[in-house]
PDB file of all heavy atoms in Angstrom:
ATOM      1  N   LYS A   1     -22.017 -17.150  48.271  1.00  0.00           N
ATOM      2  CA  LYS A   1     -20.661 -17.032  47.719  1.00  0.00           C
ATOM      3  C   LYS A   1     -20.469 -17.758  46.438  1.00  0.00           C
ATOM      4  O   LYS A   1     -20.866 -18.910  46.322  1.00  0.00           O
ATOM      5  CB  LYS A   1     -19.694 -17.556  48.789  1.00  0.00           C
ATOM      6  CG  LYS A   1     -18.210 -17.365  48.410  1.00  0.00           C
ATOM      7  CD  LYS A   1     -17.295 -17.928  49.487  1.00  0.00           C
ATOM      8  CE  LYS A   1     -15.810 -17.828  49.024  1.00  0.00           C
ATOM      9  NZ  LYS A   1     -14.941 -18.441  50.030  1.00  0.00           N
ATOM     10  N   GLY A   2     -19.877 -17.119  45.516  1.00  0.00           N
ATOM     11  CA  GLY A   2     -19.493 -17.677  44.209  1.00  0.00           C
ATOM     12  C   GLY A   2     -18.025 -17.865  43.964  1.00  0.00           C
ATOM     13  O   GLY A   2     -17.246 -17.467  44.880  1.00  0.00           O
ATOM     14  N   TRP A   3     -17.643 -18.459  42.866  1.00  0.00           N
ATOM     15  CA  TRP A   3     -16.209 -18.610  42.580  1.00  0.00           C
ATOM     16  C   TRP A   3     -16.046 -18.687  41.075  1.00  0.00           C
ATOM     17  O   TRP A   3     -16.977 -18.858  40.291  1.00  0.00           O
ATOM     18  CB  TRP A   3     -15.661 -19.847  43.268  1.00  0.00           C
ATOM     19  CG  TRP A   3     -16.487 -21.079  43.113  1.00  0.00           C
ATOM     20  CD1 TRP A   3     -17.418 -21.582  44.000  1.00  0.00           C
ATOM     21  CD2 TRP A   3     -16.541 -21.999  42.010  1.00  0.00           C
ATOM     22  NE1 TRP A   3     -17.996 -22.709  43.558  1.00  0.00           N
ATOM     23  CE2 TRP A   3     -17.452 -23.009  42.319  1.00  0.00           C
ATOM     24  CE3 TRP A   3     -15.898 -22.052  40.782  1.00  0.00           C
ATOM     25  CZ2 TRP A   3     -17.733 -24.099  41.508  1.00  0.00           C
ATOM     26  CZ3 TRP A   3     -16.189 -23.073  39.894  1.00  0.00           C
ATOM     27  CH2 TRP A   3     -17.106 -24.092  40.226  1.00  0.00           C
ATOM     28  N   LEU A   4     -14.759 -18.533  40.681  1.00  0.00           N
ATOM     29  CA  LEU A   4     -14.376 -18.601  39.239  1.00  0.00           C
ATOM     30  C   LEU A   4     -13.236 -19.551  39.110  1.00  0.00           C
ATOM     31  O   LEU A   4     -12.261 -19.504  39.879  1.00  0.00           O
ATOM     32  CB  LEU A   4     -13.949 -17.241  38.700  1.00  0.00           C
ATOM     33  CG  LEU A   4     -14.983 -16.084  38.751  1.00  0.00           C
ATOM     34  CD1 LEU A   4     -14.854 -15.268  40.037  1.00  0.00           C
ATOM     35  CD2 LEU A   4     -14.779 -15.129  37.565  1.00  0.00           C
ATOM     36  N   LEU A   5     -13.291 -20.450  38.135  1.00  0.00           N
ATOM     37  CA  LEU A   5     -12.224 -21.367  37.853  1.00  0.00           C
ATOM     38  C   LEU A   5     -11.540 -20.912  36.549  1.00  0.00           C
ATOM     39  O   LEU A   5     -12.124 -21.061  35.435  1.00  0.00           O
ATOM     40  CB  LEU A   5     -12.727 -22.804  37.656  1.00  0.00           C
ATOM     41  CG  LEU A   5     -11.721 -23.915  37.298  1.00  0.00           C
ATOM     42  CD1 LEU A   5     -10.643 -23.982  38.342  1.00  0.00           C
ATOM     43  CD2 LEU A   5     -12.384 -25.235  37.046  1.00  0.00           C
ATOM     44  N   TRP A   6     -10.305 -20.434  36.651  1.00  0.00           N
ATOM     45  CA  TRP A   6      -9.600 -19.851  35.551  1.00  0.00           C
ATOM     46  C   TRP A   6      -8.708 -20.918  34.876  1.00  0.00           C
ATOM     47  O   TRP A   6      -8.248 -21.862  35.559  1.00  0.00           O
ATOM     48  CB  TRP A   6      -8.705 -18.663  36.009  1.00  0.00           C
ATOM     49  CG  TRP A   6      -9.501 -17.411  36.345  1.00  0.00           C
ATOM     50  CD1 TRP A   6      -9.929 -17.052  37.532  1.00  0.00           C
ATOM     51  CD2 TRP A   6      -9.943 -16.463  35.437  1.00  0.00           C
ATOM     52  NE1 TRP A   6     -10.667 -15.901  37.493  1.00  0.00           N
ATOM     53  CE2 TRP A   6     -10.683 -15.525  36.187  1.00  0.00           C
ATOM     54  CE3 TRP A   6      -9.840 -16.302  34.035  1.00  0.00           C
ATOM     55  CZ2 TRP A   6     -11.248 -14.344  35.623  1.00  0.00           C
ATOM     56  CZ3 TRP A   6     -10.438 -15.128  33.477  1.00  0.00           C
ATOM     57  CH2 TRP A   6     -11.107 -14.195  34.225  1.00  0.00           C
ATOM     58  N   PRO A   7      -8.419 -20.796  33.550  1.00  0.00           N
ATOM     59  CA  PRO A   7      -7.435 -21.627  32.924  1.00  0.00           C
ATOM     60  C   PRO A   7      -6.037 -21.310  33.406  1.00  0.00           C
ATOM     61  O   PRO A   7      -5.805 -20.293  34.024  1.00  0.00           O
ATOM     62  CB  PRO A   7      -7.629 -21.349  31.403  1.00  0.00           C
ATOM     63  CG  PRO A   7      -8.286 -20.031  31.369  1.00  0.00           C
ATOM     64  CD  PRO A   7      -9.101 -19.867  32.658  1.00  0.00           C
ATOM     65  N   PRO A   8      -5.068 -22.219  33.125  1.00  0.00           N
ATOM     66  CA  PRO A   8      -3.706 -21.970  33.574  1.00  0.00           C
ATOM     67  C   PRO A   8      -3.126 -20.617  33.105  1.00  0.00           C
ATOM     68  O   PRO A   8      -2.361 -19.966  33.789  1.00  0.00           O
ATOM     69  CB  PRO A   8      -2.890 -23.167  33.075  1.00  0.00           C
ATOM     70  CG  PRO A   8      -3.960 -24.221  32.851  1.00  0.00           C
ATOM     71  CD  PRO A   8      -5.194 -23.539  32.469  1.00  0.00           C
ATOM     72  N   ILE A   9      -3.483 -20.233  31.841  1.00  0.00           N
ATOM     73  CA  ILE A   9      -3.033 -18.975  31.258  1.00  0.00           C
ATOM     74  C   ILE A   9      -4.271 -18.101  31.102  1.00  0.00           C
ATOM     75  O   ILE A   9      -5.141 -18.356  30.276  1.00  0.00           O
ATOM     76  CB  ILE A   9      -2.375 -19.177  29.906  1.00  0.00           C
ATOM     77  CG1 ILE A   9      -1.230 -20.201  30.044  1.00  0.00           C
ATOM     78  CG2 ILE A   9      -1.826 -17.882  29.316  1.00  0.00           C
ATOM     79  CD1 ILE A   9      -0.610 -20.601  28.736  1.00  0.00           C
ATOM     80  N   PRO A  10      -4.406 -17.031  31.930  1.00  0.00           N
ATOM     81  CA  PRO A  10      -5.693 -16.235  31.943  1.00  0.00           C
ATOM     82  C   PRO A  10      -5.698 -15.243  30.762  1.00  0.00           C
ATOM     83  O   PRO A  10      -6.184 -14.114  30.970  1.00  0.00           O
ATOM     84  CB  PRO A  10      -5.631 -15.562  33.292  1.00  0.00           C
ATOM     85  CG  PRO A  10      -4.197 -15.401  33.604  1.00  0.00           C
ATOM     86  CD  PRO A  10      -3.495 -16.612  33.007  1.00  0.00           C
ATOM     87  N   TYR A  11      -5.193 -15.591  29.587  1.00  0.00           N
ATOM     88  CA  TYR A  11      -5.211 -14.725  28.500  1.00  0.00           C
ATOM     89  C   TYR A  11      -5.583 -15.474  27.223  1.00  0.00           C
ATOM     90  O   TYR A  11      -5.086 -16.632  27.075  1.00  0.00           O
ATOM     91  CB  TYR A  11      -3.867 -14.047  28.243  1.00  0.00           C
ATOM     92  CG  TYR A  11      -3.324 -13.283  29.441  1.00  0.00           C
ATOM     93  CD1 TYR A  11      -2.275 -13.800  30.215  1.00  0.00           C
ATOM     94  CD2 TYR A  11      -3.843 -12.046  29.762  1.00  0.00           C
ATOM     95  CE1 TYR A  11      -1.810 -13.136  31.291  1.00  0.00           C
ATOM     96  CE2 TYR A  11      -3.325 -11.352  30.912  1.00  0.00           C
ATOM     97  CZ  TYR A  11      -2.372 -11.893  31.663  1.00  0.00           C
ATOM     98  OH  TYR A  11      -1.835 -11.244  32.722  1.00  0.00           O
ATOM     99  N   ALA A  12      -6.398 -14.948  26.335  1.00  0.00           N
ATOM    100  CA  ALA A  12      -6.655 -15.524  25.032  1.00  0.00           C
ATOM    101  C   ALA A  12      -5.587 -14.965  24.082  1.00  0.00           C
ATOM    102  O   ALA A  12      -4.747 -14.132  24.479  1.00  0.00           O
ATOM    103  CB  ALA A  12      -8.035 -15.178  24.588  1.00  0.00           C
ATOM    104  N   TYR A  13      -5.622 -15.481  22.833  1.00  0.00           N
ATOM    105  CA  TYR A  13      -4.571 -15.019  21.910  1.00  0.00           C
ATOM    106  C   TYR A  13      -4.716 -13.572  21.528  1.00  0.00           C
ATOM    107  O   TYR A  13      -3.768 -12.978  21.002  1.00  0.00           O
ATOM    108  CB  TYR A  13      -4.644 -15.903  20.654  1.00  0.00           C
ATOM    109  CG  TYR A  13      -5.885 -15.762  19.816  1.00  0.00           C
ATOM    110  CD1 TYR A  13      -6.035 -14.830  18.826  1.00  0.00           C
ATOM    111  CD2 TYR A  13      -6.978 -16.594  20.086  1.00  0.00           C
ATOM    112  CE1 TYR A  13      -7.221 -14.676  18.106  1.00  0.00           C
ATOM    113  CE2 TYR A  13      -8.110 -16.519  19.297  1.00  0.00           C
ATOM    114  CZ  TYR A  13      -8.236 -15.514  18.367  1.00  0.00           C
ATOM    115  OH  TYR A  13      -9.429 -15.414  17.608  1.00  0.00           O
ATOM    116  N   ASP A  14      -5.888 -12.934  21.747  1.00  0.00           N
ATOM    117  CA  ASP A  14      -6.085 -11.569  21.379  1.00  0.00           C
ATOM    118  C   ASP A  14      -6.358 -10.698  22.596  1.00  0.00           C
ATOM    119  O   ASP A  14      -6.751  -9.533  22.440  1.00  0.00           O
ATOM    120  CB  ASP A  14      -7.278 -11.465  20.413  1.00  0.00           C
ATOM    121  CG  ASP A  14      -8.579 -12.024  21.026  1.00  0.00           C
ATOM    122  OD1 ASP A  14      -8.435 -12.713  22.093  1.00  0.00           O
ATOM    123  OD2 ASP A  14      -9.663 -11.847  20.423  1.00  0.00           O
ATOM    124  N   THR A  15      -6.024 -11.186  23.801  1.00  0.00           N
ATOM    125  CA  THR A  15      -6.241 -10.362  25.013  1.00  0.00           C
ATOM    126  C   THR A  15      -4.986  -9.456  25.225  1.00  0.00           C
ATOM    127  O   THR A  15      -3.893  -9.849  25.129  1.00  0.00           O
ATOM    128  CB  THR A  15      -6.320 -11.284  26.250  1.00  0.00           C
ATOM    129  OG1 THR A  15      -7.420 -12.237  26.030  1.00  0.00           O
ATOM    130  CG2 THR A  15      -6.613 -10.471  27.504  1.00  0.00           C
ATOM    131  N   VAL A  16      -5.355  -8.182  25.449  1.00  0.00           N
ATOM    132  CA  VAL A  16      -4.301  -7.173  25.753  1.00  0.00           C
ATOM    133  C   VAL A  16      -3.921  -7.283  27.223  1.00  0.00           C
ATOM    134  O   VAL A  16      -4.858  -7.160  28.098  1.00  0.00           O
ATOM    135  CB  VAL A  16      -4.787  -5.721  25.355  1.00  0.00           C
ATOM    136  CG1 VAL A  16      -3.729  -4.724  25.738  1.00  0.00           C
ATOM    137  CG2 VAL A  16      -5.141  -5.706  23.865  1.00  0.00           C
ATOM    138  N   VAL A  17      -2.665  -7.450  27.532  1.00  0.00           N
ATOM    139  CA  VAL A  17      -2.218  -7.641  28.894  1.00  0.00           C
ATOM    140  C   VAL A  17      -2.108  -6.285  29.576  1.00  0.00           C
ATOM    141  O   VAL A  17      -1.611  -5.288  29.000  1.00  0.00           O
ATOM    142  CB  VAL A  17      -0.852  -8.330  28.903  1.00  0.00           C
ATOM    143  CG1 VAL A  17      -0.294  -8.487  30.286  1.00  0.00           C
ATOM    144  CG2 VAL A  17      -0.952  -9.669  28.261  1.00  0.00           C
ATOM    145  N   ASP A  18      -2.611  -6.261  30.812  1.00  0.00           N
ATOM    146  CA  ASP A  18      -2.618  -5.005  31.580  1.00  0.00           C
ATOM    147  C   ASP A  18      -1.320  -4.975  32.392  1.00  0.00           C
ATOM    148  O   ASP A  18      -1.308  -5.336  33.570  1.00  0.00           O
ATOM    149  CB  ASP A  18      -3.822  -4.964  32.482  1.00  0.00           C
ATOM    150  CG  ASP A  18      -3.914  -3.600  33.189  1.00  0.00           C
ATOM    151  OD1 ASP A  18      -3.210  -2.686  32.793  1.00  0.00           O
ATOM    152  OD2 ASP A  18      -4.743  -3.469  34.128  1.00  0.00           O
ATOM    153  N   ARG A  19      -0.212  -4.623  31.738  1.00  0.00           N
ATOM    154  CA  ARG A  19       1.095  -4.448  32.418  1.00  0.00           C
ATOM    155  C   ARG A  19       1.692  -3.126  32.071  1.00  0.00           C
ATOM    156  O   ARG A  19       1.602  -2.723  30.922  1.00  0.00           O
ATOM    157  CB  ARG A  19       2.063  -5.539  31.975  1.00  0.00           C
ATOM    158  CG  ARG A  19       1.952  -6.879  32.715  1.00  0.00           C
ATOM    159  CD  ARG A  19       2.865  -7.916  32.184  1.00  0.00           C
ATOM    160  NE  ARG A  19       4.271  -7.463  32.267  1.00  0.00           N
ATOM    161  CZ  ARG A  19       5.295  -8.117  31.756  1.00  0.00           C
ATOM    162  NH1 ARG A  19       5.090  -9.236  31.034  1.00  0.00           N
ATOM    163  NH2 ARG A  19       6.505  -7.652  31.901  1.00  0.00           N
ATOM    164  N   PRO A  20       2.324  -2.454  33.045  1.00  0.00           N
ATOM    165  CA  PRO A  20       2.942  -1.186  32.707  1.00  0.00           C
ATOM    166  C   PRO A  20       4.170  -1.406  31.868  1.00  0.00           C
ATOM    167  O   PRO A  20       4.846  -2.474  31.911  1.00  0.00           O
ATOM    168  CB  PRO A  20       3.321  -0.638  34.104  1.00  0.00           C
ATOM    169  CG  PRO A  20       3.420  -1.870  34.949  1.00  0.00           C
ATOM    170  CD  PRO A  20       2.462  -2.823  34.474  1.00  0.00           C
ATOM    171  N   GLY A  21       4.534  -0.392  31.044  1.00  0.00           N
ATOM    172  CA  GLY A  21       5.682  -0.492  30.224  1.00  0.00           C
ATOM    173  C   GLY A  21       5.363  -0.495  28.734  1.00  0.00           C
ATOM    174  O   GLY A  21       4.177  -0.722  28.361  1.00  0.00           O
ATOM    175  N   ALA A  22       6.363  -0.264  27.929  1.00  0.00           N
ATOM    176  CA  ALA A  22       6.175  -0.224  26.462  1.00  0.00           C
ATOM    177  C   ALA A  22       6.257  -1.618  25.911  1.00  0.00           C
ATOM    178  O   ALA A  22       7.167  -2.375  26.259  1.00  0.00           O
ATOM    179  CB  ALA A  22       7.184   0.756  25.822  1.00  0.00           C
ATOM    180  N   ALA A  23       5.370  -1.971  25.055  1.00  0.00           N
ATOM    181  CA  ALA A  23       5.423  -3.275  24.360  1.00  0.00           C
ATOM    182  C   ALA A  23       6.516  -3.262  23.286  1.00  0.00           C
ATOM    183  O   ALA A  23       6.847  -2.218  22.720  1.00  0.00           O
ATOM    184  CB  ALA A  23       4.062  -3.563  23.707  1.00  0.00           C
ATOM    185  N   PRO A  24       7.083  -4.462  23.024  1.00  0.00           N
ATOM    186  CA  PRO A  24       6.860  -5.758  23.665  1.00  0.00           C
ATOM    187  C   PRO A  24       7.518  -5.883  25.046  1.00  0.00           C
ATOM    188  O   PRO A  24       8.614  -5.355  25.263  1.00  0.00           O
ATOM    189  CB  PRO A  24       7.470  -6.756  22.720  1.00  0.00           C
ATOM    190  CG  PRO A  24       8.531  -5.972  21.954  1.00  0.00           C
ATOM    191  CD  PRO A  24       8.055  -4.547  21.883  1.00  0.00           C
ATOM    192  N   LEU A  25       6.771  -6.541  25.933  1.00  0.00           N
ATOM    193  CA  LEU A  25       7.259  -6.659  27.331  1.00  0.00           C
ATOM    194  C   LEU A  25       7.949  -7.999  27.511  1.00  0.00           C
ATOM    195  O   LEU A  25       7.639  -9.009  26.962  1.00  0.00           O
ATOM    196  CB  LEU A  25       6.085  -6.597  28.282  1.00  0.00           C
ATOM    197  CG  LEU A  25       5.280  -5.287  28.228  1.00  0.00           C
ATOM    198  CD1 LEU A  25       4.008  -5.428  29.124  1.00  0.00           C
ATOM    199  CD2 LEU A  25       6.146  -4.176  28.829  1.00  0.00           C
ATOM    200  N   PRO A  26       9.028  -8.036  28.317  1.00  0.00           N
ATOM    201  CA  PRO A  26       9.842  -9.237  28.516  1.00  0.00           C
ATOM    202  C   PRO A  26       9.093 -10.281  29.302  1.00  0.00           C
ATOM    203  O   PRO A  26       8.103  -9.935  30.017  1.00  0.00           O
ATOM    204  CB  PRO A  26      11.075  -8.700  29.255  1.00  0.00           C
ATOM    205  CG  PRO A  26      10.626  -7.464  29.968  1.00  0.00           C
ATOM    206  CD  PRO A  26       9.587  -6.869  29.109  1.00  0.00           C
ATOM    207  N   PRO A  27       9.534 -11.543  29.297  1.00  0.00           N
ATOM    208  CA  PRO A  27       8.920 -12.607  30.087  1.00  0.00           C
ATOM    209  C   PRO A  27       9.002 -12.298  31.611  1.00  0.00           C
ATOM    210  O   PRO A  27       9.978 -11.716  32.066  1.00  0.00           O
ATOM    211  CB  PRO A  27       9.715 -13.848  29.754  1.00  0.00           C
ATOM    212  CG  PRO A  27      10.344 -13.510  28.452  1.00  0.00           C
ATOM    213  CD  PRO A  27      10.623 -12.054  28.441  1.00  0.00           C
ATOM    214  N   ASN A  28       7.952 -12.694  32.338  1.00  0.00           N
ATOM    215  CA  ASN A  28       7.891 -12.578  33.801  1.00  0.00           C
ATOM    216  C   ASN A  28       6.987 -13.723  34.294  1.00  0.00           C
ATOM    217  O   ASN A  28       6.515 -14.596  33.494  1.00  0.00           O
ATOM    218  CB  ASN A  28       7.521 -11.242  34.284  1.00  0.00           C
ATOM    219  CG  ASN A  28       6.081 -10.843  33.925  1.00  0.00           C
ATOM    220  OD1 ASN A  28       5.406 -11.610  33.218  1.00  0.00           O
ATOM    221  ND2 ASN A  28       5.608  -9.804  34.444  1.00  0.00           N
ATOM    222  N   GLY A  29       6.660 -13.713  35.588  1.00  0.00           N
ATOM    223  CA  GLY A  29       5.796 -14.727  36.099  1.00  0.00           C
ATOM    224  C   GLY A  29       4.348 -14.665  35.568  1.00  0.00           C
ATOM    225  O   GLY A  29       3.615 -15.653  35.591  1.00  0.00           O
ATOM    226  N   GLU A  30       3.937 -13.497  35.082  1.00  0.00           N
ATOM    227  CA  GLU A  30       2.586 -13.384  34.524  1.00  0.00           C
ATOM    228  C   GLU A  30       2.545 -13.728  33.069  1.00  0.00           C
ATOM    229  O   GLU A  30       1.551 -14.392  32.615  1.00  0.00           O
ATOM    230  CB  GLU A  30       2.123 -11.922  34.666  1.00  0.00           C
ATOM    231  CG  GLU A  30       0.674 -11.679  34.318  1.00  0.00           C
ATOM    232  CD  GLU A  30       0.273 -10.218  34.561  1.00  0.00           C
ATOM    233  OE1 GLU A  30       1.008  -9.457  35.111  1.00  0.00           O
ATOM    234  OE2 GLU A  30      -0.832  -9.877  34.114  1.00  0.00           O
ATOM    235  N   ASN A  31       3.574 -13.408  32.287  1.00  0.00           N
ATOM    236  CA  ASN A  31       3.639 -13.741  30.870  1.00  0.00           C
ATOM    237  C   ASN A  31       4.951 -14.511  30.651  1.00  0.00           C
ATOM    238  O   ASN A  31       6.048 -13.945  30.598  1.00  0.00           O
ATOM    239  CB  ASN A  31       3.629 -12.531  29.967  1.00  0.00           C
ATOM    240  CG  ASN A  31       2.407 -11.622  30.250  1.00  0.00           C
ATOM    241  OD1 ASN A  31       2.566 -10.577  30.846  1.00  0.00           O
ATOM    242  ND2 ASN A  31       1.221 -12.100  29.934  1.00  0.00           N
ATOM    243  N   LEU A  32       4.869 -15.865  30.620  1.00  0.00           N
ATOM    244  CA  LEU A  32       6.067 -16.657  30.678  1.00  0.00           C
ATOM    245  C   LEU A  32       6.976 -16.436  29.436  1.00  0.00           C
ATOM    246  O   LEU A  32       8.157 -16.637  29.537  1.00  0.00           O
ATOM    247  CB  LEU A  32       5.642 -18.159  30.752  1.00  0.00           C
ATOM    248  CG  LEU A  32       4.898 -18.499  32.034  1.00  0.00           C
ATOM    249  CD1 LEU A  32       4.553 -20.009  31.950  1.00  0.00           C
ATOM    250  CD2 LEU A  32       5.673 -18.183  33.226  1.00  0.00           C
ATOM    251  N   LEU A  33       6.392 -16.124  28.263  1.00  0.00           N
ATOM    252  CA  LEU A  33       7.142 -15.860  27.090  1.00  0.00           C
ATOM    253  C   LEU A  33       7.087 -14.417  26.630  1.00  0.00           C
ATOM    254  O   LEU A  33       7.405 -14.072  25.516  1.00  0.00           O
ATOM    255  CB  LEU A  33       6.685 -16.750  25.947  1.00  0.00           C
ATOM    256  CG  LEU A  33       6.923 -18.248  26.135  1.00  0.00           C
ATOM    257  CD1 LEU A  33       6.418 -19.060  24.925  1.00  0.00           C
ATOM    258  CD2 LEU A  33       8.376 -18.603  26.364  1.00  0.00           C
ATOM    259  N   GLY A  34       6.673 -13.560  27.549  1.00  0.00           N
ATOM    260  CA  GLY A  34       6.570 -12.113  27.283  1.00  0.00           C
ATOM    261  C   GLY A  34       5.296 -11.792  26.434  1.00  0.00           C
ATOM    262  O   GLY A  34       4.414 -12.572  26.262  1.00  0.00           O
ATOM    263  N   THR A  35       5.304 -10.562  25.898  1.00  0.00           N
ATOM    264  CA  THR A  35       4.206 -10.114  25.018  1.00  0.00           C
ATOM    265  C   THR A  35       4.757  -9.688  23.726  1.00  0.00           C
ATOM    266  O   THR A  35       5.965  -9.435  23.555  1.00  0.00           O
ATOM    267  CB  THR A  35       3.417  -8.953  25.757  1.00  0.00           C
ATOM    268  OG1 THR A  35       4.260  -7.786  25.760  1.00  0.00           O
ATOM    269  CG2 THR A  35       3.020  -9.373  27.114  1.00  0.00           C
ATOM    270  N   ASP A  36       3.864  -9.531  22.704  1.00  0.00           N
ATOM    271  CA  ASP A  36       4.251  -9.035  21.427  1.00  0.00           C
ATOM    272  C   ASP A  36       4.144  -7.512  21.440  1.00  0.00           C
ATOM    273  O   ASP A  36       3.965  -6.865  22.456  1.00  0.00           O
ATOM    274  CB  ASP A  36       3.438  -9.682  20.284  1.00  0.00           C
ATOM    275  CG  ASP A  36       1.982  -9.372  20.472  1.00  0.00           C
ATOM    276  OD1 ASP A  36       1.566  -8.569  21.293  1.00  0.00           O
ATOM    277  OD2 ASP A  36       1.170  -9.957  19.691  1.00  0.00           O
ATOM    278  N   ASP A  37       4.240  -6.883  20.225  1.00  0.00           N
ATOM    279  CA  ASP A  37       4.248  -5.462  20.168  1.00  0.00           C
ATOM    280  C   ASP A  37       2.887  -4.826  20.379  1.00  0.00           C
ATOM    281  O   ASP A  37       2.782  -3.603  20.362  1.00  0.00           O
ATOM    282  CB  ASP A  37       4.873  -4.991  18.806  1.00  0.00           C
ATOM    283  CG  ASP A  37       4.087  -5.541  17.632  1.00  0.00           C
ATOM    284  OD1 ASP A  37       3.062  -6.206  17.840  1.00  0.00           O
ATOM    285  OD2 ASP A  37       4.523  -5.322  16.510  1.00  0.00           O
ATOM    286  N   THR A  38       1.849  -5.612  20.562  1.00  0.00           N
ATOM    287  CA  THR A  38       0.528  -5.070  20.905  1.00  0.00           C
ATOM    288  C   THR A  38       0.107  -5.545  22.305  1.00  0.00           C
ATOM    289  O   THR A  38      -1.136  -5.562  22.627  1.00  0.00           O
ATOM    290  CB  THR A  38      -0.514  -5.455  19.836  1.00  0.00           C
ATOM    291  OG1 THR A  38      -0.577  -6.864  19.730  1.00  0.00           O
ATOM    292  CG2 THR A  38      -0.192  -4.831  18.507  1.00  0.00           C
ATOM    293  N   LYS A  39       1.055  -5.989  23.103  1.00  0.00           N
ATOM    294  CA  LYS A  39       0.806  -6.477  24.498  1.00  0.00           C
ATOM    295  C   LYS A  39      -0.106  -7.682  24.576  1.00  0.00           C
ATOM    296  O   LYS A  39      -0.907  -7.789  25.480  1.00  0.00           O
ATOM    297  CB  LYS A  39       0.225  -5.305  25.383  1.00  0.00           C
ATOM    298  CG  LYS A  39       1.328  -4.313  25.801  1.00  0.00           C
ATOM    299  CD  LYS A  39       0.771  -3.440  26.893  1.00  0.00           C
ATOM    300  CE  LYS A  39       1.879  -2.492  27.413  1.00  0.00           C
ATOM    301  NZ  LYS A  39       1.413  -1.661  28.583  1.00  0.00           N
TER     302      LYS A  39
END
């Protein structure tokens, strides 16, 4: 058995968020400050 230790925010500055909807997306529990116009 293996494991992964993730950082508190599992996104880099250039990571595209996999969320439904048109960008920019509003803040939620996954993206505390929302997303920009390229998700």
Side-chain angles (χ1 to χ4, degrees):
K1 184 182 176 182
W3 46 264
L4 300 91
L5 178 61
W6 288 94
I9 304 171
Y11 304 104
Y13 65 88
D14 56 351
T15 304
V16 178
V17 177
D18 186 14
R19 276 178 60 187
L25 297 171
N28 66 355
E30 186 178 353
N31 308 109
L32 298 180
L33 295 179
T35 68
D36 61 7
D37 57 4
T38 57
K39 282 193 175 183

